[in-house]
Amino acid sequence: EVKIFGDNRETLDGLAGQLEPLVAAVPGVVDLVGVQRGNPEVTWEIDPIAAGRMGLTVEQISSQASSAWLGEVATHLRLLDRAVPVRVRYDDASRFDPERLAQMLVRGADGKTVPLAALGRAIQSSGQSILTRENLRQMALLTARLEGRDLGSAVADIKTRLAGFKLPVGYTIEVGGQYESQRSAFRELLMVLCIAAALVFTILVFQFRAIVPAAVILMAAPLSFAGAFLLLWVTGTELNVSSAMGLILLVGLVVKNGIVMMDYAHRLHEKGAGLADAVNEAAQVRLRPILMTTLCTLFGLLPLALGLGAGAEIQKPLALAVIGGLGFSTLITLYAVPAVYAALRRGKT
């Protein structure tokens, strides 16, 4: 959605008409719908003086015209189970032809008839455009959908074209629709990601009763995002809300392998082993359970990542993000986490 905000309805319609070709020229934009304008209409203006000569008022002439054009229920057709109203009116050929409408006979107070054209004149015009407001601001709306292109790049092209468009003072343009919904969703997911990381870090601190091992283990989570992004890029999958949820899941899934290894390393260190030796042995001993738990998770998500089953396509980005991130985090947990932890604790053993 491209929203144009301003105070004057006619100015908004004009700006929308100028922006339509700019937006339509963006590759991937299809089914563009501009401002919904009113249909052509004919308004009759009755001369009160001419109506008075017939002994009628403007309202009485309007009532006769309404009866002729829209009809009146004259009687009911009674069936076995219901009564069907019978509406009497002019035929469609006369009702939809302004010239023939002008020949409609109006009956005066004395019973004489004259054509409607003798009592007034027809004014042809277009109906008013649909009035749209958002947050009490009047706006003109352009809507379209995308085909064969991702939302982010398409919106970037649209914004580039809109940047060179000069607006009158007091008028603004915003891009909304799915783009705004996506931005709002990503902002909320980012907040959820931060909260999840904070909660996991708190649990790790209570587990190890120290900040350094908790921070080192949690470090594997953001580093694992590289594997998730890589797999999404290789498979041509967009970074959307579903894949972003997969990144949030990685925060909890990745640290479990670090907990398994570092907890064993701390036990060995408490028994008298050197820190470097304890970390090295823990990585070797815990290699098998770490690989087993990781492979179980990966193979469990594999059908979803392949898009098998009803509705699997919706959560496919989530599965791909988890598989890529979890696979890459295994290497980080087995090599990077022990090395960084041993380097930070060097000289304190």
Side-chain angles (χ1 to χ4, degrees):
E1 294 181 351
V2 177
K3 306 173 184 178
I4 313 165
F5 294 95
D7 297 327
N8 188 276
R9 180 77 252 178
E10 295 182 359
T11 304
L12 288 175
D13 291 347
L15 292 175
Q18 298 176 41
L19 287 175
E20 278 190 48
L22 295 179
V23 178
V26 176
V29 174
V30 296
D31 297 341
L32 178 64
V33 178
V35 176
Q36 300 297 299
R37 295 177 173 84
N39 295 322
E41 61 183 29
V42 177
T43 304
W44 280 88
E45 185 176 295
I46 305 300
D47 184 1
I49 298 177
R53 295 194 190 102
M54 296 289 295
L56 301 174
T57 63
V58 175
E59 289 75 14
Q60 290 173 324
I61 296 177
S62 174
S63 176
Q64 292 190 40
S66 176
S67 299
W69 299 340
L70 301 179
E72 285 186 346
V73 177
T75 184
H76 288 78
L77 175 62
R78 299 190 178 277
L79 302 178
L80 293 177
D81 57 343
R82 65 186 184 280
V84 180
V86 178
R87 182 176 293 272
V88 180
R89 68 186 185 190
Y90 276 17
D91 61 287
D92 290 344
S94 299
R95 294 171 61 236
F96 299 140
D97 187 350
E99 295 183 359
R100 299 182 68 174
L101 287 178
Q103 303 303 317
M104 186 198 85
L105 297 178
V106 178
R107 185 177 299 276
D110 56 359
K112 296 181 180 180
T113 59
V114 295
L116 180 62
L119 302 176
R121 62 189 183 94
I123 303 175
Q124 296 188 5
S125 61
S126 296
Q128 294 295 321
S129 302
I130 296 177
L131 183 63
T132 308
R133 291 181 181 271
E134 184 177 280
N135 296 329
L136 301 180
R137 296 183 298 170
Q138 190 170 237
M139 74 173 182
L141 186 64
L142 302 178
T143 62
R145 67 180 183 87
L146 293 177
E147 190 173 85
R149 192 174 184 188
D150 64 280
L151 182 62
S153 63
V155 171
D157 284 354
I158 292 175
K159 286 188 172 182
T160 301
R161 294 174 183 268
L162 296 180
F165 187 80
K166 294 184 179 180
L167 291 171
V169 177
Y171 290 79
T172 58
I173 296 179
E174 295 180 8
V175 179
Q178 289 185 350
Y179 173 71
E180 181 60 31
S181 299
Q182 185 187 70
R183 290 183 58 190
S184 176
F186 275 127
R187 284 195 297 266
E188 294 176 359
L189 288 174
L190 181 60
M191 181 180 64
V192 172
L193 177 63
C194 295
I195 295 175
L199 293 175
V200 170
F201 181 74
T202 302
I203 294 175
L204 291 175
V205 171
F206 279 109
Q207 171 70 23
F208 295 102
R209 295 182 296 278
I211 294 179
V212 174
V216 172
I217 294 175
L218 189 62
M219 174 196 68
L223 294 178
S224 67
F225 292 171
F229 293 143
L230 179 61
L231 186 58
L232 291 174
W233 177 74
V234 170
T235 57
T237 305
E238 299 177 3
L239 178 62
N240 52 23
V241 174
S242 179
S243 53
M245 292 176 61
L247 299 180
I248 296 175
L249 288 177
L250 282 175
V251 176
L253 293 174
V254 166
V255 298
K256 64 181 180 60
N257 291 335
I259 294 174
V260 169
M261 186 185 66
M262 295 302 296
D263 181 67
Y264 188 67
H266 275 208
R267 291 182 183 180
L268 295 177
H269 184 54
E270 291 174 356
K271 292 180 180 180
L275 182 61
D277 295 335
V279 171
N280 184 47
E281 184 176 351
Q284 298 179 25
V285 173
R286 293 303 190 187
L287 173 62
R288 182 179 179 184
I290 288 176
L291 290 179
M292 289 178 63
T293 55
T294 300
L295 290 175
C296 286
T297 304
L298 296 183
F299 280 103
L301 290 172
L302 189 59
L304 196 60
L306 295 176
L308 304 179
E313 286 293 332
I314 300 177
Q315 300 302 333
K316 182 178 179 180
L318 181 148
L320 291 174
V322 173
I323 290 175
L326 196 57
F328 187 67
S329 70
T330 303
L331 300 177
I332 296 175
T333 301
L334 293 175
Y335 293 98
V337 170
V340 171
Y341 182 63
L344 293 176
R345 295 296 301 272
R346 186 174 297 168
K348 297 183 180 181
T349 58

